[in-house]
Amino acid sequence: MKYTLAVLVENQPGVLSKVSGLFSRRGFNIDSLAVGVTEDPTISRMTIVVNGDEYILEQVEKQLNKVIPVIKVKNLNESGDFISCELALIKVSCNQKQRFEVMKIAELMFAKIVDVSVSSLTIQCADSPDRIETLITLLRPFGIKEIVRTGTIAVEKGANITAVNKK
Amino acid sequence: MVSGAEIMVKCLEKEGVTIAFGYPGAAICPFYDILYQSKIEHVLVREEQNAAHMASGYARSCGKPGVCIATSGPGATNLITGLATAYMDSVPIIAITGQVDSELLGRDVFQEADITGACESFTKHSYLVKNTADLPRVFKEAFHIASTGRPGPVLIDVPFDIQKNEIPDFVYPEKAEIIGYKPRVEGHPIQIKKAVEAIANAKRPLICCGGGVVLAGAREEMIAFAQHSGIPIVSTMMGLGVIPMDSSLYLGMIGSHGHKNANRAMHEADLVILCGARVGDRAIAAPEQVAEKATVIHIDIDPAEIGKNMPVNIPIVGDIKKVLRVLAEKISEKQTPQEWIDDVLRWKSEYVLRGEPQENSVEPRLFIRDLSSLMDENAILVADVGQNQIWAANNFNVKEGRFLTSGGLGTMGYSLPAALGAKLAKPHRQVVAVCGDGSFQMCMCELGTLCQNDIDIKLIVMVNNRLGMVREVQDRLYGERHAATLLDGSPNVVKIAEAYGLDTAVATSNKQAKELAAKMLAQKKPFVLACLVDPDAPTI
């Protein structure tokens, strides 16, 4: 089972290594980890997608909470519906004859052509990880030269937010 | 103007630090220069790992964080085993390391090591200070983190220039404000209620007392809870001494090297109340089997320990001192079924301590019992790691004193430096260290520290020219092939000690060992007693 965690951390050097080190040390499997600053510049948010059972999930949450600069850990799967999204840049081999076909696929998947050359096309896609997988499957026959993905970021649906309780 | 080094010393003074253990080097010189002029006593160790062990012995004996100091590079990396030892046993330590100039960081210059990176998994938290003005906050936070919640070592790495730089003035924060660090101390009322019900319904309840009870300073509460409830108690190695060992319902130490009757009680119980015990494999080898038969209540200040190694029915996160007090108030008196008490007491009576007196060697188990009977009520015994640890754990009777050992990491060479730290924390108590000739050779350089500071501890070395515990495993599981467990070429322990000018003796029989131990304990001077032990003497 895949779990998506929203983790708020103090925006300071060394936090990423503390968190990622924890995963390898305790033998937890990360599918993806994305990090960026939040609306409060002193706080960063990590979105971590973890693969495991309930025992692993519980341990991950508890161990994350033990890391001193970790402020809050929220399991988004538990708190209701959420939107997850990922950005991918995919460079596909394609000659002039194939170009139109690849462009059609990109259009079909709501992806954007961001660069073109005689022998390649670069497609940018911001979508759910599932749809990015679909796009990759469709593009594979043309020959994928390079894939760059950001890892999933996620946010709860509706008015719910994941924020620091400042008292 | 005030320099970083001055700030560091002022911070230590503000935290009430009176003693620090360390070893200098170029990168920590500015700090040492100020420390030298302060009232804080400094104990020069002979190898940095032992500075951490001394800080550990000190902290465990007086409850305040121990401070250890090392220079950059090899000084800092030598600390690691000591910090890891303290981390596994949740001992509050502040480790201060010098670091190369901040602008040289990452260039692999002379004596540079990424110590905060290297210690990530062995410290509760660590700091690499990048700005002199951050020092007061960092020290305040470090002491707060090390000594609250589940205690542990905190590392502060201070580059040379940060120690030298000056800022206008020194202001020490009143409080540490760490947004993501708020240890929970009160047990959740709903879980407490469930625990009270489970205790009321239990037919065969058992308390398992771990090292967390010692750390929480909850000895009194634990004794009161046990007496009030009439529930039998077993202990882990780290929990030894919480319950006076002559209490009728105390069943002994559990685990692969523990008392058979205590393990049996654990496996027959229908309710196990784990108190500050992290269910390490050496204590409970088959936690699933225990949990299959029993409802498990787990009380710990660290939520991550609950459910980590053993399935738990009733988790209680909180300070054991508080939780036990609340539980004792809510449960009815002496409700434990007599049938169960009869069972555990019968098993206990069937357990016989082993070891016959020897004429040509010292039977170690019997000797520890003799030693125990000679020592003060409030004495501190520090055991090393190996056969000597188990001989001591199973045969030393802790009364009002303490039993210290490296229970989690199992670090050989812990005993002598930890005993020195313990004695400096409790100068009026008798402190005795027990080690083997293997562990002695890992820390014997600290005899120099002992002499330089004239620290009155007694050291007992069990000499068998073997790494006895591994040798025993080889006998059992590796066809008696003694790969690398013979300590041939070892020096004469007594001559080594004499070279330091210490009083010494050699015992070759139990009768002699007992007499010499009495003589050793009677004198107000350090003493090294070598006991010649049969290489085939069993551990349990």
Side-chain angles (χ1 to χ4, degrees):
Chain A
M1 167 90 185
K2 280 185 185 169
Y3 297 94
T4 304
L5 305 178
V7 184
L8 297 177
V9 301
E10 289 190 55
N11 186 7
Q12 53 179 236
V15 183
L16 181 59
S17 118
K18 283 190 166 77
V19 169
S20 59
L22 174 85
F23 277 81
S24 63
R25 192 157 64 241
R26 300 261 172 200
F28 305 142
N29 289 321
I30 299 186
D31 263 30
S32 77
L33 189 158
V35 56
V37 75
T38 62
E39 67 282 358
D40 176 347
T42 65
I43 292 167
S44 293
R45 175 162 170 155
M46 295 183 183
T47 306
I48 306 175
V49 181
V50 188
N51 206 341
D53 53 21
E54 270 178 39
Y55 166 79
I56 297 275
L57 175 77
E58 184 184 325
Q59 274 297 307
V60 167
E61 287 187 68
K62 284 176 166 178
Q63 295 293 342
L64 278 172
N65 271 315
K66 274 180 80 166
V67 178
I68 307 282
V70 168
I71 303 166
K72 189 171 201 167
V73 181
K74 195 170 190 178
N75 173 9
L76 296 181
N77 298 67
E78 209 170 53
S79 60
D81 274 354
F82 61 97
I83 294 159
S84 55
C85 183
E86 187 175 1
L87 178 67
L89 294 169
I90 305 162
K91 195 173 281 186
V92 190
S93 305
C94 113
N95 54 34
Q96 290 180 358
K97 281 185 198 158
Q98 294 169 316
R99 193 175 292 146
F100 184 71
E101 209 176 330
V102 173
M103 285 169 69
K104 266 289 179 211
I105 291 172
E107 196 185 330
L108 186 69
M109 298 299 294
F110 303 107
K112 224 165 103 181
I113 309 293
V114 289
D115 187 45
V116 61
S117 76
V118 180
S119 60
S120 74
L121 263 181
T122 301
I123 298 165
Q124 171 189 308
C125 177
D127 215 322
S128 70
D130 280 0
R131 284 181 54 90
I132 290 176
E133 287 301 329
T134 309
L135 175 63
I136 292 169
T137 310
L138 293 173
L139 294 174
R140 208 171 283 283
F142 299 94
I144 290 176
K145 292 160 91 79
E146 204 174 9
I147 297 178
V148 188
R149 299 173 70 159
T150 57
T152 305
I153 54 170
V155 73
E156 284 155 275
K157 279 191 176 173
N160 287 347
I161 57 166
T162 303
V164 178
N165 306 324
K166 279 189 179 161
K167 279 178 191 163
Chain B
M1 297 297 273
V2 50
S3 73
E6 285 169 326
I7 292 172
M8 291 161 73
V9 173
K10 280 176 193 286
C11 290
L12 295 181
E13 286 169 346
K14 285 275 185 195
E15 290 294 339
V17 174
T18 55
I19 191 166
F21 309 90
Y23 203 103
I28 192 76
C29 262
F31 171 69
Y32 261 98
D33 189 44
I34 307 296
L35 189 71
Y36 183 68
Q37 302 167 52
S38 80
K39 288 210 175 92
I40 297 173
E41 187 187 345
H42 179 266
V43 175
L44 174 66
V45 300
R46 295 302 186 264
E47 198 265 352
E48 291 87 348
Q49 181 187 143
N50 299 319
H53 291 330
M54 279 183 214
S56 162
Y58 177 85
R60 292 172 75 174
S61 303
C62 70
K64 291 193 297 183
V67 177
C68 59
I69 308 158
T71 191
S72 64
T77 54
N78 271 348
L79 271 184
I80 295 177
T81 302
L83 294 181
T85 306
Y87 185 62
M88 282 287 262
D89 290 342
S90 311
V91 182
I93 283 181
I94 302 292
I96 301 169
T97 49
Q99 181 56 280
V100 302
D101 259 338
S102 47
E103 61 182 37
L104 294 175
L105 277 172
R107 299 204 204 169
D108 298 328
V109 296
F110 181 66
Q111 292 197 331
E112 179 184 355
D114 169 20
I115 195 63
T116 47
C119 282
E120 215 152 68
S121 43
F122 307 123
T123 49
K124 190 171 170 188
H125 193 46
S126 58
Y127 296 90
L128 169 57
V129 184
K130 297 275 186 66
N131 196 331
T132 302
D134 290 340
L135 282 166
R137 175 185 57 81
V138 165
F139 272 76
K140 185 77 207 176
E141 288 183 5
F143 275 87
H144 177 62
I145 291 169
S147 56
T148 54
R150 178 182 183 173
V154 176
L155 170 74
I156 309 174
D157 195 25
V158 191
F160 187 78
D161 55 321
I162 303 299
Q163 298 169 50
K164 296 280 282 181
N165 288 348
E166 295 186 333
I167 58 168
D169 54 356
F170 167 73
V171 184
Y172 201 56
E174 295 224 329
K175 252 172 85 181
E177 296 279 355
I178 310 160
I179 185 167
Y181 179 72
K182 305 236 162 26
R184 188 188 172 97
V185 291
E186 311 279 349
H188 197 287
I190 292 177
Q191 300 299 345
I192 300 251
K193 191 162 165 259
K194 282 191 196 163
V196 171
E197 280 165 16
I199 293 169
N201 294 328
K203 299 259 181 319
R204 300 184 304 280
L206 184 71
I207 299 169
C208 173
C209 173
V213 180
V214 182
L215 291 162
R219 185 169 189 256
E220 261 175 52
E221 284 76 6
M222 183 48 113
I223 294 172
F225 174 69
Q227 279 177 348
H228 178 75
S229 64
I231 300 175
I233 305 189
V234 295
S235 176
T236 68
M237 189 184 282
M238 295 302 289
L240 287 179
V242 169
I243 300 295
M245 293 179 168
D246 41 18
S247 318
S248 65
L249 287 178
Y250 176 69
L251 309 178
M253 182 175 88
I254 51 164
S256 50
H257 296 88
H259 294 188
K260 204 170 147 191
N261 63 301
N263 286 328
R264 179 159 185 196
M266 183 61 102
H267 282 270
E268 301 272 338
D270 73 343
L271 174 74
V272 174
I273 309 168
L274 291 169
C275 299
R278 57 186 183 83
V279 196
D281 60 330
R282 225 191 192 201
I284 304 177
E288 292 80 11
Q289 281 179 24
V290 174
E292 234 168 64
K293 279 194 179 173
T295 302
V296 179
I297 302 174
H298 196 166
I299 311 167
D300 206 297
I301 196 142
D302 180 359
E305 283 308 334
I306 299 177
K308 186 177 83 180
N309 292 341
M310 186 167 184
V312 169
N313 305 88
I314 305 168
I316 305 180
V317 178
D319 180 356
I320 292 182
K321 206 178 169 79
K322 296 198 171 197
V323 174
L324 286 180
R325 229 180 253 163
V326 175
L327 277 180
E329 274 168 24
K330 300 202 172 193
I331 58 172
S332 34
E333 210 178 333
K334 307 266 185 250
Q335 55 179 347
T336 309
Q338 192 58 40
E339 209 177 314
W340 170 240
I341 291 185
D342 291 344
D343 278 346
V344 295
L345 292 183
R346 194 177 64 250
W347 301 334
K348 186 181 170 181
S349 69
E350 284 163 9
Y351 181 81
V352 203
L353 287 168
R354 283 174 239 175
E356 293 297 313
Q358 302 288 313
E359 305 228 336
N360 298 314
S361 71
V362 177
E363 208 303 316
R365 297 166 294 183
L366 180 64
F367 169 64
I368 296 285
R369 295 202 288 278
D370 286 340
L371 174 73
S372 185
S373 68
L374 293 168
M375 282 168 65
D376 292 348
E377 292 259 308
N378 67 352
I380 299 171
L381 183 82
V382 188
D384 216 288
V385 169
Q387 284 186 301
N388 68 82
Q389 184 183 42
I390 308 303
W391 291 332
N394 278 332
N395 296 284
F396 184 72
N397 183 1
V398 193
K399 292 169 198 131
E400 296 301 314
R402 292 288 299 276
F403 176 77
L404 303 182
T405 192
S406 164
L409 198 66
T411 306
M412 283 175 71
Y414 179 77
S415 61
L416 173 55
L420 294 173
K423 183 70 184 181
L424 289 165
K426 295 282 176 198
H428 302 300
R429 287 208 195 177
Q430 210 172 48
V431 178
V432 178
V434 177
C435 64
D437 45 359
S439 40
F440 173 70
Q441 288 180 72
M442 283 204 184
C443 62
M444 64 185 187
C445 57
E446 297 308 327
L447 289 177
T449 310
L450 183 158
C451 290
Q452 184 173 10
N453 297 279
D454 195 19
I455 305 169
D456 173 20
I457 65 150
K458 323 295 182 193
L459 177 67
I460 293 164
V461 188
M462 305 283 198
V463 177
N464 59 4
N465 278 305
R466 300 286 186 283
L467 297 175
M469 202 158 201
V470 181
R471 193 265 316 157
E472 200 175 48
V473 172
Q474 289 170 335
D475 281 350
R476 252 193 2 255
L477 301 173
Y478 298 93
E480 298 184 18
R481 289 179 299 279
H482 294 159
T485 48
L486 303 182
L487 284 173
D488 293 337
S490 297
N492 181 323
V493 169
V494 159
K495 280 195 173 167
I496 292 270
E498 279 166 3
Y500 282 94
L502 293 168
D503 289 358
T504 62
V506 182
T508 53
S509 72
N510 280 84
K511 185 167 172 284
Q512 197 187 11
K514 191 174 181 182
E515 285 164 10
L516 288 167
K519 180 186 157 211
M520 167 183 91
L521 294 170
Q523 71 171 41
K524 297 264 172 257
K525 278 202 304 191
F527 196 97
V528 177
L529 173 61
C531 293
L532 302 187
V533 170
D534 181 352
D536 291 324
T539 304
I540 298 177

